[in-house]
Amino acid sequence: MSNVQVLPLLEPDAAEVAPCCPPLTERTFSAEEAEVAARMFKALGDPVRLRLFSAVASHEGGEACVCDISDVGVSQPTVSHHLKKLKDAGLLTSERRGTWVYYRVQPSVLAAMGQLLTTAAGT
């Protein structure tokens, strides 16, 4: 008999989402907001990083082991380098489990990026 228990995934509360920046049409970014947004978009500006981000975001359960997402046309050390860049930009979080590292896209990051690219309400 197994002690494995399936736990429900909690949906993020929209009120908890702290967007990095206002929607582009709402107002001009402050210098700090522009730095945060530029760091995220710069990290996603590389095709390999974008594929890795997509692989993690679309993986079953919303997280992926580095061993599951290495088939992007570059070597494993390069995959690790790109995942670190995505993590440094605040797009991914990671957790070491034994010898493997598991990556997850924070739901609030996707929501914040979506809000950034949305027009202000009512326009």
Side-chain angles (χ1 to χ4, degrees), residues 40-87:
M40 290 189 322
F41 286 112
K42 182 178 180 182
L44 291 174
D46 181 282
V48 172
R49 288 186 201 140
L50 188 55
R51 287 184 67 200
L52 288 169
F53 186 75
S54 173
V56 173
S58 65
H59 201 271
E60 185 178 335
E63 78 174 1
C65 174
V66 69
C67 61
D68 294 332
I69 55 173
S70 58
D71 187 24
V72 291
V74 296
S75 68
Q76 185 58 47
T78 303
V79 167
S80 295
H81 165 77
H82 285 301
L83 288 169
K84 181 182 183 320
K85 291 289 187 180
L86 290 168
K87 185 177 172 188

Side-chain angles (χ1 to χ4, degrees), residues 20-49:
C20 69
C21 318
L24 290 172
T25 56
E26 186 177 298
R27 63 173 171 78
T28 304
F29 284 178
S30 70
E32 182 181 343
E33 291 167 338
E35 287 290 330
V36 170
R39 192 170 40 249
M40 290 189 322
F41 286 112
K42 182 178 180 182
L44 291 174
D46 181 282
V48 172
R49 288 186 201 140

